[in-house]
Amino acid sequence: LRAVSEVTDRALERLRNLGPAEPLPQFIPAQTSHLAMGILLASVHVALGLLWSTALVAFARGLRGWLRKERARRLLDRVAGTVIAAFGIRLALGD
């Protein structure tokens, strides 16, 4: 039974260190259940992502009328072009 526990612990350790969830293990206290805390942290991460996406959609809906105007498109194109050019210049200068 002890060997199974060690294998399970190692497998969970490897799973916790994969992909986008990589920063999460540093927030799991050693004395808690790693699986339960990992699921809780992942759930909080997903909930915050959904909340942020909902806020962005609501904000875009509020600006929908303004964003459809040609003047707004030109302004956004100019701002985006300026930002991209500034990044390009900064990259070229090596700063």
Side-chain angles (χ1 to χ4, degrees), residues 19-63:
E22 208 168 74
L24 294 178
Q26 65 183 328
F27 299 110
I28 298 178
Q31 66 274 15
T32 63
S33 166
H34 292 157
L35 179 61
M37 188 60 74
I39 290 172
L40 176 66
L41 287 172
S43 299
V44 169
H45 180 73
V46 169
L48 288 174
L50 287 172
L51 184 65
W52 178 246
S53 295
T54 302
L56 287 176
V57 168
F59 184 69
R61 279 189 180 167
L63 292 177

